[in-house]
Amino acid sequence: MARSNPERRAALLDAALEVLAEDGARGLTFRAVDQRAAVPAGTASNYFANRDALLAQCADRVYERLEPDADTLAQGLHGPRDAARVTALVHQVVDRVAAFPTGFLALLELRLAALRRPELRAVLTRRIGADLRLNTDYHRAAGLPGDATTVHLLILALNWLALERLALPDLFTPEQRTHLVDTLVTRLLAGENATANATTGSATTGNGGTAN
């Protein structure tokens, strides 16, 4: 029967994330987790039914640690509803990911492992999909410019920027990365506005033609 001490489980999952980040999915064993967590041999196996269960719960643990606290979330719902506000929030996300490189690398390893594990792929699809919906709903609730597609494009672009920052840290300077994020938001929102204006203009022209 699996143990249920929440603090010990969290510590074991944190150790598992470190193993994933440093040794990859192939190096993730109960023994490696026990050693990294500095607990007696056999502890991890008391908390997770098997290695697949450990892998699945690692994904949830990454997002638990990346999620901002309630105060930060509440503050994000207030303030200007403009492109500058979106840019500031995006930089906050980038900073949170940069402060937790182990989590990002572990999640990358989980994605690669999911190529060969359909059950893990289903878990990641559910968990990452939930994060996409959460970010989209939050964006709408805050009344910020941009639609769901804008949020998805931002997340996809930031994922690759984070990967380059970790894998090839000298590819871009910190100033270049900041400029890239600023430009990304500006161009995405400008493109959306142009599309919206074009659609509105076409609808207006079409209605006029019908009336004539």
Side-chain angles (χ1 to χ4, degrees), residues 56-104:
Q57 291 186 44
C58 279
D60 285 322
R61 181 59 179 165
V62 170
Y63 283 101
E64 284 177 9
R65 291 186 56 180
L66 281 175
E67 186 175 354
D69 58 38
D71 288 341
T72 301
L73 288 171
Q75 291 171 9
L77 295 175
H78 304 288
R81 269 69 170 170
D82 55 17
R85 182 62 176 161
V86 175
T87 303
L89 290 173
V90 169
H91 278 296
Q92 288 180 18
V93 172
V94 172
D95 289 343
R96 280 203 305 276
V97 173
F100 185 31
T102 296
F104 185 89

Side-chain angles (χ1 to χ4, degrees), residues 156-196:
L156 289 171
L158 293 177
N159 276 341
W160 197 263
L161 181 63
L163 175 60
E164 295 290 27
R165 180 173 180 173
L166 291 171
L168 303 172
D170 298 325
L171 184 62
F172 298 111
T173 66
E175 293 76 18
Q176 286 176 318
R177 287 194 290 266
T178 297
H179 174 69
L180 286 170
V181 172
D182 292 346
T183 305
L184 173 66
V185 175
T186 299
R187 294 189 181 182
L188 274 179
L189 293 181
E192 182 190 316
N193 289 336
T195 300

Side-chain angles (χ1 to χ4, degrees), residues 27-44:
L28 185 67
T29 63
F30 285 149
R31 182 177 182 179
V33 172
D34 288 338
Q35 290 177 342
R36 185 58 59 95
V39 295
T43 301

Side-chain angles (χ1 to χ4, degrees), residues 2 9 11-13 15-16 19-20 24-58:
R9 180 180 294 275
L12 290 168
L13 287 172
V19 173
L20 278 171
R26 290 180 179 272
L28 185 67
T29 63
F30 285 149
R31 182 177 182 179
V33 172
D34 288 338
Q35 290 177 342
R36 185 58 59 95
V39 295
T43 301
S45 62
N46 287 329
Y47 281 82
F48 307 99
N50 49 49
R51 188 166 173 273
D52 287 336
L54 176 60
L55 284 167
Q57 291 186 44
C58 279

